[in-house]
Amino acid sequence: MVHDVGKIKVPSEILSKPGKLTELEFALIKLHAQDGYEILKSIDFPWPIAQFVGQHHERLDGSGYPHGLQGDVIHLEARILAVADVIEAMASHRPYRPGLGIDVALAEVSEKCGVTYDENVVAAAIRLFREKDYQLQA
Ligand SMILES: [Fe+2]
């Protein structure tokens, strides 16, 4: 519910832009992870939610942002957010493209399982959709 709260600082024209983003526009969007951390860090949650949000675009192999963190340095909760976020984003409609569907989304996280995405998290996501019949909310 709050992982992308930092996008409140990104102009909506950029967030909903049809077509390819410029390097500068993409750089502005990437700020949303750190901005989310900054927005949430002073709120007293029972868990370090601000850190989870700040790390949700980090990737196991260090290819993510904002800090290029690797492996277990990234909170498990952020690794879960990463997989859930990519599946939801790919499967759902966006202003600039129709939804690609759950099969394409699961194939993407499976392909990068253990490289950019946590193996256990990907396995859990696949179980949810394939065995537990989980459905994304429309
Ligand atoms: Fe995000």
Side-chain angles (χ1 to χ4, degrees):
M1 291 173 70
V2 297
H3 72 286
D4 273 343
V5 68
K7 283 186 177 171
I8 199 165
K9 295 180 82 173
V10 182
S12 57
E13 298 85 353
I14 296 178
L15 292 176
S16 59
K17 181 180 170 181
K20 202 174 185 313
L21 296 172
T22 66
E23 210 169 295
L24 179 62
E25 288 166 339
F26 190 51
L28 280 171
I29 285 183
K30 285 167 90 173
L31 293 174
H32 82 276
Q34 186 66 27
D35 284 336
Y37 170 80
E38 299 294 335
I39 289 166
L40 297 168
K41 69 180 182 186
S42 59
I43 300 174
D44 190 22
F45 291 108
W47 314 279
I49 298 286
Q51 291 187 35
F52 305 158
V53 168
Q55 295 180 354
H56 81 279
H57 285 283
E58 299 287 1
R59 296 295 182 253
L60 279 191
D61 61 357
S63 64
Y65 61 86
H67 300 298
L69 302 178
Q70 291 185 18
D72 292 348
V73 172
I74 306 167
H75 283 283
L76 172 62
E77 290 84 347
R79 287 180 263 143
I80 293 170
L81 275 176
V83 171
D85 193 24
V86 167
I87 291 173
E88 193 277 336
M90 290 188 71
S92 307
H93 296 292
R94 286 292 181 264
Y96 44 87
R97 60 147 175 79
L100 302 170
I102 192 63
D103 293 338
V104 173
L106 293 180
E108 165 70 14
V109 292
S110 297
E111 188 183 318
K112 295 177 179 161
C113 176
V115 181
T116 50
Y117 303 115
D118 184 290
E119 285 178 281
N120 293 325
V121 175
V122 170
I126 289 170
R127 276 199 306 276
L128 268 180
F129 285 98
R130 299 288 187 228
E131 294 169 26
K132 310 276 183 191
D133 206 24
Y134 181 77
Q135 306 277 328
L136 288 173
Q137 306 293 316

